Amino acid sequence: MELYTYFRSSAAYRVRIALNLKGLMADYRYVHLVKDGGQQHKPEYLSVNPQGLVPVLVDRGHVLTQSLAIIEYLEETHPQPPLLPKDALGRARVRALAQVVACDMHPVNNQRILKYLETAFGADEAARKLWYRHWIIEGFKAMERLLTDNPDTGKFCHGARPTLADICLVPQVFNANRFEVDLTPYPAIKRINDHCLTLKAFADAAPEKQADVA
Amino acid sequence: MELYTYFRSSAAYRVRIALNLKGLMADYRYVHLVKDGGQQHKPEYLSVNPQGLVPVLVDRGHVLTQSLAIIEYLEETHPQPPLLPKDALGRARVRALAQVVACDMHPVNNQRILKYLETAFGADEAARKLWYRHWIIEGFKAMERLLTDNPDTGKFCHGARPTLADICLVPQVFNANRFEVDLTPYPAIKRINDHCLTLKAFADAAPEKQADVA
């Protein structure tokens, strides 16, 4: 397998964690989202993924896009260890937690969105930081409630094993720290994130551990 | 089952289609996202979903959130007719197409985002329309390529039966039409959307058919 990745992309970070948790090896292909005006816009990369986004996983010549779809694919093709619980309600809860991050938080703070804010609305760095933090705070408020109000929350977002929810949460906490969001109001999120990072699968996937870190 | 829905919410629209395709009945509870300053912000609704977003599906007392997680739950608990193909690669393709809409397009054009643009950056209606159309066009360009470059595309996004991808696409085309996006550059999207709407399951879920249409 080959993974097209960028150290700071939180969608790529998710797939790196999933591969590590599954004990799967992939050759990393580095796509620098800033250098050269963004290598994701170059014809070589667009021929791999016309959408110009990372990550992409190539498995036996098949090109897979969208981090959550990739992780569900890994789950179906390499079921052990599982990244989703067995029961339908548990699976729905884990997927919903993952989607709070992947649908409600991350897309809104994507690099291309911040660029549009700058270009079209003249949003300076301070205004963009406010925007970024606002959506992290909105999402973490919801997530914290979903985690604290539910007896299924354990050492991880759901029970005693890492799931898709943790895989989405940890890269989002990385972003929050990068943008200096105070995590004090989110003790459950902080506790789970800290616990995840004690696992080698999570720690090795971190941006600062990547060969393309700049 | 009970579905908390708003006629114009495209995430709720997705779940309405899925329920119809599965032949499942749900009592609709209407949450008006504009009236009374937004009924989703009221304590009664926040006690159902603290995130203050629609849709919510309640199944035997269990509260399920996030449209894609809800639809995967319906797929697991009511497998017939299937909304995902059988093979892992096909499932990954369908989920990726769904996520182009659900992660890359829809969240960025959410009502709360448009409100922030207005409040923080003084974006007037014309500027907000440009924003809205921009992200639809970006997403549809990618989607059109993914649909035309792939032999698995059929009468529907994937083969000869409706899947999760169509369930996400049709509400997004509804939004595009509402914001007067010219669909001429996206013949595959237009063809598939038109075909879906010939099915009663899709047609009955349309915003204009809902009891809460305003």
Side-chain angles (χ1 to χ4, degrees):
Chain A
M1 285 192 283
E2 292 142 46
L3 178 70
Y4 289 78
T5 176
Y6 174 60
F7 72 104
R8 202 181 264 155
S9 154
S10 65
Y13 189 175
R14 291 174 202 151
V15 178
R16 295 195 302 260
I17 299 169
L19 287 166
N20 292 349
L21 284 168
K22 295 277 187 194
L24 297 169
M25 302 291 282
D27 289 328
Y28 283 8
R29 306 266 182 271
Y30 300 105
V31 185
H32 203 292
L33 301 192
V34 180
K35 220 158 43 183
D36 313 330
Q39 294 174 348
Q40 75 277 25
H41 304 307
K42 304 291 174 201
E44 309 91 87
Y45 188 67
L46 292 175
S47 72
V48 178
N49 181 8
Q51 223 190 336
L53 298 173
V54 292
V56 159
L57 186 76
V58 182
D59 188 18
R60 293 162 296 140
H62 298 288
V63 173
L64 301 160
T65 61
Q66 296 287 341
S67 62
L68 296 191
I70 292 170
I71 296 169
E72 295 263 4
Y73 171 82
L74 293 174
E75 179 74 358
E76 293 179 354
T77 52
H78 301 85
Q80 295 305 326
L83 303 177
L84 288 170
K86 277 200 177 143
D87 61 305
L89 281 170
R91 295 164 75 84
R93 178 173 183 252
V94 167
R95 287 190 176 115
L97 288 169
Q99 287 163 27
V100 170
V101 173
C103 299
D104 296 339
M105 301 176 70
H106 175 248
V108 184
N109 282 341
N110 211 312
Q111 204 198 95
R112 59 192 187 133
I113 307 290
L114 301 176
K115 194 164 273 180
Y116 190 110
L117 293 178
E118 186 180 1
T119 314
F121 302 121
D124 59 13
E125 209 192 315
R128 296 198 304 274
K129 265 197 179 171
L130 275 178
W131 166 280
Y132 200 103
R133 287 183 191 145
H134 176 80
W135 301 114
I136 290 189
I137 290 168
E138 283 295 298
F140 275 2
K141 269 198 251 174
M143 192 107 178
E144 182 72 16
R145 239 180 274 119
L146 293 167
L147 290 170
T148 47
D149 287 358
N150 198 304
D152 290 330
T153 303
K155 284 198 168 184
F156 295 92
C157 287
H158 192 86
R161 318 177 63 141
T163 64
L164 182 63
D166 306 289
I167 288 173
C168 289
L169 181 62
V170 167
Q172 194 58 60
V173 172
F174 171 84
N175 291 341
N177 284 330
R178 195 173 149 232
F179 279 79
E180 296 161 340
V181 175
D182 176 18
L183 294 181
T184 317
Y186 321 110
I189 289 175
K190 200 181 167 318
R191 172 181 64 73
I192 291 168
N193 177 70
D194 291 350
H195 182 62
C196 287
L197 289 173
T198 64
L199 300 191
K200 191 170 153 52
F202 283 84
D204 286 353
E208 63 273 16
K209 292 278 190 68
Q210 303 309 302
D212 63 330
V213 68
Chain B
M1 286 192 285
E2 293 144 44
L3 178 70
Y4 289 79
T5 176
Y6 175 59
F7 73 104
R8 203 181 263 157
S9 154
S10 64
Y13 188 175
R14 291 175 203 150
V15 179
R16 294 196 302 260
I17 299 169
L19 287 166
N20 291 350
L21 284 168
K22 296 276 187 194
L24 297 169
M25 301 291 283
D27 288 328
Y28 284 6
R29 305 268 182 271
Y30 300 105
V31 185
H32 203 293
L33 301 192
V34 180
K35 220 160 39 186
D36 312 330
Q39 295 174 348
Q40 75 278 24
H41 304 307
K42 305 289 174 202
E44 308 94 86
Y45 189 67
L46 291 174
S47 73
V48 179
N49 181 11
Q51 221 190 337
L53 297 173
V54 293
V56 159
L57 186 76
V58 183
D59 188 19
R60 293 162 296 141
H62 299 288
V63 173
L64 302 160
T65 61
Q66 295 288 341
S67 62
L68 296 191
I70 293 171
I71 296 170
E72 295 263 3
Y73 172 82
L74 293 175
E75 179 74 359
E76 293 178 355
T77 52
H78 301 84
Q80 296 303 325
L83 302 178
L84 287 169
K86 277 200 177 142
D87 61 306
L89 280 170
R91 294 163 76 84
R93 178 175 183 250
V94 166
R95 287 190 176 115
L97 288 169
Q99 288 164 26
V100 170
V101 173
C103 299
D104 296 338
M105 302 176 70
H106 175 248
V108 184
N109 282 341
N110 211 312
Q111 205 197 95
R112 59 194 188 132
I113 307 290
L114 301 175
K115 194 166 272 180
Y116 190 110
L117 292 179
E118 186 180 2
T119 315
F121 303 121
D124 60 13
E125 208 193 316
R128 296 199 303 275
K129 265 197 178 170
L130 275 178
W131 166 280
Y132 200 104
R133 286 182 191 147
H134 177 79
W135 301 115
I136 289 189
I137 290 168
E138 284 295 297
F140 274 3
K141 268 197 251 175
M143 191 107 178
E144 182 73 16
R145 239 181 274 120
L146 292 167
L147 291 170
T148 47
D149 287 358
N150 198 303
D152 289 330
T153 304
K155 283 198 170 187
F156 296 92
C157 287
H158 193 85
R161 318 178 65 142
T163 64
L164 181 63
D166 306 290
I167 287 173
C168 290
L169 181 63
V170 167
Q172 194 57 61
V173 172
F174 171 84
N175 291 341
N177 285 330
R178 195 173 149 233
F179 280 79
E180 297 162 340
V181 174
D182 175 18
L183 293 181
T184 317
Y186 320 110
I189 290 175
K190 201 180 167 318
R191 171 181 66 73
I192 292 167
N193 177 70
D194 291 350
H195 182 61
C196 287
L197 289 173
T198 63
L199 301 191
K200 191 169 153 53
F202 283 85
D204 285 354
E208 64 273 17
K209 293 278 189 69
Q210 303 309 300
D212 63 331
V213 68

